[in-house]
Amino acid sequence: LYSANTYILMVLDGGQVGVALAYSLAPLVLARFIKLTHNSGLITQNSLVAGLVLAVQVMFDLRIAYLTMGIVLFYTIYHYLFIERFNLKLYAGRLSLVAFLVLGLHAYWLFPIVIFRSHPAAEFLSNFSSIEGFRFLSFATFSQTVSLLHPNWPENIFGKVYFMRSEFLLLPVLAYSSLIFINLKLQFNRTILFFALLGLLGVFLAKGANPPFGEVNVWIFANMPFSSLFRDPTKFYLLVALSYSILIPLTVSSISSFFTSKIKDKRVKIQMSNITTIIVICYLLFLIRPIFLNQLSGTFAKHEIPQEHTQLKDFLHSQTNFSRTLWIPKPYRYNFYSYAHPAVSADSIFKATNSAEIARKLSREEDTPEFLSNISVQYIIVPHDSFGEIFVK
């Protein structure tokens, strides 16, 4: 549920490895900070582990770490008010140790910002803090966020929002059905209620400026510190994923227990429990079936090396004399090069900004053949652009 939902799969398919790694650490960061609220335990050790894990998450992606700490703050307030009163002075001391460790490990880039009072990305980030930009990037609808369905699933084309898929509507039903089986008098069940509230908060924030009550999110974006970090509201899918990864297993377990409680045979009970789990896993795999059917276009897409590039590699490898190959306008991802046959980029040696300029210099300038001969260029190659990365046509 957490590592194979449509949100994180779209992040990975788009090559956002830093976001994915920070996302993968969010449950661990939350778990370590939950331990800090306990009045007992190894105070120093728990604080050091929490600080180290948070520091690594900040290294991968500051935005996800900032969002995770927002979840931690929400949990801390909820825990103190509705679960158990803990020693605030002791907790503040633990947080101080965590903050000291995180700030110390990241001092190499924090100190220069403080000393020079400027951030290299400040001007860049200011361009993304407009409310109009926030409205434009609010792609997800309420029905998509509550169903943990990324608005660009499965093609992952920026700005192309897909219709709602009805099969995803069972996810929120499974998630919030868990509330039927809980008893709020028990401390554990009050913790489950926190994750239900976290999911609702994530559903509301992830839809951005879209209805219902889109203006509330606009106001939050306009007044929240570092709001430009979340100009793309889909990052709040993290809250929904965390919530559903707790609530849905609880629902499955409760339903399984309900049916097996009426069966006396212990062996049949185990089989029924396994069947329930397998059905839900099959349903979850069905939701992400495009990844198995090779319908994704990014990192998960299966690509074959064009035959032309294989033939070129064999041909160049058979040449024993030293020579260079000139690639127009630049080397392709499947280009072959070696010490005997280095690859040269045409846009670099001709200092050209487009393919038309390269073509003009190759055809019109009289000294071009001599120039290419002097740098040992023997073959000029226009690559077979199977991915459409170089040429428009």
Side-chain angles (χ1 to χ4, degrees):
L1 275 165
Y2 187 77
S3 60
N5 58 72
T6 59
Y7 167 69
I8 193 59
L9 289 176
M10 287 291 90
V11 168
L12 284 168
D13 193 59
Q16 301 179 63
V17 180
V19 175
L21 290 172
Y23 172 93
S24 70
L25 286 175
L28 182 58
V29 173
L30 178 59
R32 300 313 305 185
F33 274 89
I34 287 175
K35 278 186 173 291
L36 295 184
T37 61
H38 298 165
N39 290 322
S40 60
L42 302 172
I43 299 174
T44 304
Q45 181 179 337
N46 288 338
S47 300
L48 289 175
V49 173
L52 285 172
V53 174
L54 178 58
V56 174
Q57 190 186 36
V58 170
M59 177 184 69
F60 287 140
D61 195 280
L62 180 60
R63 299 166 298 179
I64 301 299
Y66 180 76
L67 189 56
T68 306
M69 292 312 298
I71 299 172
V72 168
L73 177 62
F74 179 33
Y75 176 82
T76 302
I77 296 171
Y78 180 88
H79 184 94
Y80 186 81
L81 294 177
F82 302 107
I83 299 178
E84 182 186 17
R85 298 295 175 93
F86 51 86
N87 191 323
L88 290 176
K89 290 184 179 180
L90 184 62
Y91 184 71
R94 294 173 178 178
L95 289 184
S96 299
L97 183 56
V98 171
F100 176 78
L101 184 61
V102 174
L103 294 175
L105 290 173
H106 288 277
Y108 67 94
W109 64 271
L110 289 173
F111 275 0
I113 293 175
V114 174
I115 293 171
F116 294 103
R117 297 181 180 179
S118 67
H119 191 281
E123 186 177 351
F124 173 77
L125 290 174
S126 64
N127 296 328
F128 296 98
S129 59
S130 67
I131 293 177
E132 290 76 15
F134 176 71
R135 291 182 187 276
F136 173 75
L137 293 170
S138 297
F139 297 131
T141 61
F142 177 80
S143 58
Q144 289 171 329
T145 58
V146 77
S147 302
L148 195 54
L149 172 63
H150 194 283
N152 300 134
W153 176 263
E155 291 186 33
N156 204 16
I157 298 175
F158 178 79
K160 184 178 180 180
V161 180
Y162 292 81
F163 292 112
M164 180 63 200
R165 294 172 178 261
S166 56
E167 61 266 28
F168 281 85
L169 292 174
L170 184 57
L171 275 181
V173 174
L174 283 173
Y176 294 106
S177 293
S178 61
L179 300 179
I180 301 172
F181 302 98
I182 66 173
N183 181 4
L184 293 179
K185 293 181 180 180
L186 300 176
Q187 189 181 91
F188 170 77
N189 289 335
R190 291 199 296 270
T191 303
I192 296 300
L193 183 60
F194 161 77
F195 283 100
L197 294 173
L198 180 68
L200 292 174
L201 180 63
V203 166
F204 185 77
L205 294 176
K207 69 179 181 57
N210 290 321
F213 307 110
E215 293 304 317
V216 175
N217 282 345
V218 172
W219 182 88
I220 293 173
F221 178 81
N223 294 277
M224 182 179 67
F226 307 107
S227 59
S228 57
L229 296 175
F230 302 101
R231 62 188 184 275
D232 176 13
T234 56
K235 290 182 179 63
F236 289 104
Y237 270 94
L238 168 65
L239 281 65
V240 186
L242 268 174
S243 171
Y244 286 11
S245 64
I246 299 294
L247 298 179
I248 291 179
L250 179 62
T251 301
V252 175
S253 176
S254 300
I255 293 174
S256 178
S257 298
F258 175 77
F259 285 110
T260 55
S261 63
K262 300 181 179 182
I263 302 174
K264 295 182 179 181
D265 191 328
K266 188 176 181 180
R267 187 178 298 177
V268 177
K269 277 188 176 184
I270 295 173
Q271 291 177 350
M272 283 295 297
S273 178
N274 291 338
I275 289 172
T276 306
T277 305
I278 290 171
I279 289 173
V280 174
I281 290 175
C282 290
Y283 165 67
L284 296 175
L285 291 175
F286 172 75
L287 294 181
I288 59 171
R289 63 193 182 280
I291 198 172
F292 307 113
L293 299 175
N294 197 31
Q295 294 177 354
L296 274 64
S297 57
T299 306
F300 291 105
K302 182 181 178 181
H303 301 290
E304 299 289 344
I305 298 178
Q307 185 180 3
E308 292 86 350
H309 286 277
T310 303
Q311 293 172 347
L312 176 64
K313 181 263 297 182
D314 293 337
F315 173 74
L316 291 176
H317 191 65
S318 65
Q319 305 285 313
T320 56
N321 296 328
F322 176 86
S323 65
R324 289 186 171 89
T325 54
L326 179 68
W327 291 73
I328 300 177
K330 58 184 178 181
Y332 191 52
R333 65 166 65 195
Y334 294 130
N335 73 304
F336 172 79
Y337 62 92
S338 64
Y339 289 114
H341 304 288
V344 180
S345 175
D347 56 6
S348 297
I349 66 169
F350 290 120
K351 297 179 180 179
T353 57
N354 55 65
S355 300
E357 190 174 352
I358 296 173
R360 181 181 59 80
K361 290 188 176 183
L362 283 172
S363 61
R364 296 181 182 178
E365 297 192 12
E366 296 178 356
D367 58 342
T368 297
E370 183 180 356
F371 170 70
L372 295 179
S373 177
N374 289 337
I375 61 174
S376 301
V377 169
Q378 186 173 2
Y379 300 104
I380 298 175
I381 302 169
V382 179
H384 174 59
D385 185 22
S386 56
F387 287 90
E389 296 173 332
I390 301 177
F391 304 109
V392 177
K393 296 184 180 179

